[in-house]
């Protein structure tokens, strides 16, 4: 190890893809994957996953519950390219084909602690009414060849999308050695605690 | 040198009368700031919401700055445009907000405005579309020539911006 201290910091994320709200669709499953910059590498846990198929609850809130676990640890030398989780939700259409119902992405939160995020889900739209009808009829809707495009900012200026649902995620975030490297990710008045990532509760 | 990471998303917009919206965004900084990685400007997708009236973009922003001074703190400037079914674009609002200065995640709601023209131009905008636009984009984030403008309010752009600061305490900066 270099004399100056650590050169790498760790980010541990666990949590779940909790539930979704899609007023018009039912029987959905979701896939998640992580997108991160060149300075990042996953060291433990799963980078991708596919959930079960879930149906809407019968009560008024019509929730689609997955309760699907997420657990991954990254190491990095640079916060640029902070990991994002990309979600793709799929479901059957009228003819029984599997079509995409939404894509969404959000950055993993960077302050340690518990975070809840509700992200909007959108699908690309067909360019013309004829293509819309053909894709509905054939069961081949417009979709991204690589869902990781959703996590990037470039190239999105020519896409037209329709947002049609939300997914709620819960994250627990723990970081190691970010403060030793000089990074501060939470405001100074809460920095009096020696280690917010300690498993035992902190005094006071 | 101190470093600043701006990591977040332009989530979407509410309160606009048109529904298919997209946003052109950019970050302007002073002379002491240098962009080490990331893209300084961009344009979001065009979203037509099916649920509710908020247009969602979820456009990621990931910028890494190095700075020698506090002056010229980064400002995000936004232009919200609407696109109709024929593909024509019309200005819906201009807005700017400063990137927050304390580390952590912040929810920002940036109000927007659009220039009003004469009554003739307003009538034409209602029927045909179009309307006055700014010639120089820096009026959006600077106060210099604003007194010449007469504007009307647009909707609000919602952003979730997280800030990570490095070595600021070495220089005695409190934030």
């Amino acid at each position: 190890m270099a004399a100056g201290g650590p050169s790498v910091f760790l980010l541990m994320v666990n949590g779940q893809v909790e539930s979704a709200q899609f007023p018009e669709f039912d029987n959905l499953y979701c896939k998640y994957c992580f997108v991160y910059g060149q300075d990042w590498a996953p060291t433990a846990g799963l980078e991708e996953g596919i959930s079960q198929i879930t149906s809407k609850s019968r009560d008024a809130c019509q929730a689609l519950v997955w309760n699907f676990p997420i657990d991954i640890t990254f190491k990095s030398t640079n916060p640029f390219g902070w990991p994002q989780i990309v979600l793709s939700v799929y479901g059957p259409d009228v003819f029984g084909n599997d079509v995409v119902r939404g894509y969404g992405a959000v950055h993993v939160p960077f302050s340690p602690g518990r975070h809840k995020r509700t992200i909007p889900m959108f699908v690309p739209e067909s360019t013309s009414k004829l293509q819309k009808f053909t894709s509905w009829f054939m069961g081949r809707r417009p979709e991204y060849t690589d869902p990781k495009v959703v996590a990037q900012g470039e190239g999105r200026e020519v896409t037209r999308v329709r947002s049609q649902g939300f997914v709620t995620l819960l994250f627990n975030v723990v970081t190691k050695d970010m403060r030793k490297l000089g990074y501060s990710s939470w405001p100074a008045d809460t920095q009096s605690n020696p280690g917010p990532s300690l498993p035992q509760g902190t005094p006071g | 040198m101190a470093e600043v990471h701006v990591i977040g998303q332009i989530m979407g917009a509410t309160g606009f009368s048109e529904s298919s919206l997209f946003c052109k965004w950019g970050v302007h900084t002073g002379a002491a700031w240098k962009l080490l990685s990331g893209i300084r400007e961009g344009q979001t997708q065009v979203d037509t919401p099916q649920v509710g009236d908020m247009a969602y973009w979820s456009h990621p922003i990931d910028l890494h700055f190095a700075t020698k001074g506090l002056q010229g703190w980064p400002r995000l400037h936004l232009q919200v445009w609407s696109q109709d079914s024929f593909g024509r674009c019309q200005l819906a609002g201009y807005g700017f907000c400063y990137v927050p200065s304390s580390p952590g995640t912040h929810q920002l709601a940036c109000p927007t405005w659009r220039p009003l023209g004469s009554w003739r131009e307003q009538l034409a905008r209602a029927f045909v579309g179009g309307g006055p636009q700014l010639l120089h984009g820096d009026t959006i984030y600077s106060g210099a020539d604003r007194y010449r403008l007469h504007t009307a309010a647009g909707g609000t752009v919602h952003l979730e911006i997280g800030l990570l600061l490095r070595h600021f305490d070495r220089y005695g900066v409190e934030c």
Side-chain angles (χ1 to χ4, degrees):
Chain A
M1 188 84 94
S7 59
V8 164
F9 64 89
L10 293 182
L11 170 71
M12 199 240 355
V13 187
N14 58 38
Q16 49 171 306
V17 180
E18 189 185 82
S19 61
Q21 320 277 128
F22 277 87
E24 301 161 6
F25 307 111
D26 201 357
N27 297 324
L28 304 174
Y29 68 94
C30 83
K31 290 199 221 183
Y32 77 83
C33 65
F34 283 93
V35 174
Y36 42 88
Q38 287 177 323
D39 297 315
W40 290 79
T43 57
L46 295 168
E47 255 189 84
E48 302 183 325
I50 304 184
S51 76
Q52 76 274 21
I53 302 178
T54 183
S55 300
K56 276 186 179 154
S57 54
R58 298 265 168 256
D59 56 11
C61 61
Q62 303 253 289
L64 291 143
V65 170
W66 286 307
N67 195 349
F68 186 52
I70 301 170
D71 185 2
I72 190 163
T73 306
F74 291 98
K75 71 169 193 243
S76 173
T77 52
N78 183 2
F80 180 71
W82 195 273
Q84 297 182 57
I85 184 169
V86 173
L87 285 168
S88 328
V89 173
Y90 299 87
D93 68 357
V94 159
F95 301 107
N97 306 305
D98 224 7
V99 296
V100 65
R101 294 302 188 196
Y103 296 102
V106 72
H107 286 280
V108 167
F110 45 75
S111 26
R114 196 163 170 276
H115 306 268
K116 188 167 187 167
R117 293 280 185 266
T118 300
I119 64 176
M121 305 296 281
F122 55 84
V123 284
E125 268 204 318
S126 307
T127 8
S128 63
K129 291 215 167 27
L130 176 65
Q131 210 225 349
K132 204 168 175 173
F133 174 74
T134 318
S135 63
W136 173 82
F137 190 63
M138 303 292 289
R140 283 204 281 266
R141 304 291 170 98
E143 47 185 297
Y144 293 118
T145 47
D146 183 4
K148 300 191 176 187
V149 158
V150 169
Q152 293 162 10
E154 306 132 57
R156 305 234 297 211
E157 55 261 15
V158 291
T159 55
R160 264 185 272 208
V161 302
R162 201 168 65 234
S163 50
Q164 51 190 24
F166 300 92
V167 172
T168 305
L169 300 140
L170 286 172
F171 295 103
N172 292 317
V173 172
V174 174
T175 59
K176 176 178 188 284
D177 290 338
M178 278 191 78
R179 270 225 275 168
K180 282 194 196 159
L181 287 167
Y183 292 101
S184 56
S185 59
W186 58 93
D189 55 333
T190 59
Q191 271 170 355
S192 53
N193 277 337
S197 54
L198 289 174
Q200 273 55 319
T202 45
Chain B
M1 296 231 284
E3 294 170 32
V4 174
H5 288 268
V6 181
I7 300 171
Q9 282 189 344
I10 305 180
M11 302 212 311
T14 53
F16 286 94
S17 46
E18 304 91 349
S19 69
S20 292
L21 299 169
F22 65 95
C23 174
K24 295 197 212 186
W25 63 274
V27 174
H28 179 263
T29 54
W33 294 73
K34 183 162 167 242
L35 181 67
L36 297 178
S37 334
I39 308 170
R40 193 186 267 271
E41 58 190 13
Q43 186 174 318
T44 69
Q45 62 207 13
V46 182
D47 182 47
T48 316
Q50 301 288 293
V51 182
D53 72 336
M54 178 158 173
Y56 286 101
W57 299 315
S58 300
H59 191 95
I61 297 181
D62 195 342
L63 297 163
H64 183 192
F65 290 104
T67 180
K68 293 188 277 219
L70 289 176
Q71 272 63 45
W73 193 271
R75 288 176 269 208
L76 255 169
H77 57 265
L78 309 156
Q79 300 181 25
V80 182
W81 293 73
S82 69
Q83 189 181 63
D84 63 8
S85 49
F86 302 110
R88 298 177 309 167
C89 298
Q90 176 172 304
L91 178 74
Y94 294 113
F96 96 98
C97 60
Y98 275 95
V99 165
S101 47
S102 59
T105 313
H106 305 265
Q107 307 286 336
L108 303 173
C110 176
T112 59
W113 50 270
R114 59 177 175 82
L116 276 179
S118 61
W119 66 268
R120 268 187 253 258
E121 286 166 342
Q122 290 178 44
L123 200 58
R125 186 177 195 273
F127 283 104
V128 175
Q133 299 167 26
L134 287 175
L135 256 187
H136 300 289
D138 51 359
T139 314
I140 304 174
Y141 50 84
S142 97
D145 278 323
R146 290 275 192 103
Y147 66 90
R148 296 171 200 262
L149 287 175
H150 184 197
T151 66
T156 312
V157 177
H158 300 272
L159 305 118
E160 189 180 282
I161 299 288
L163 211 72
L164 209 53
L165 303 177
R166 189 179 193 200
H167 297 324
F168 269 58
D169 44 355
R170 250 192 222 171
Y171 298 95
V173 175
E174 295 127 2
C175 52

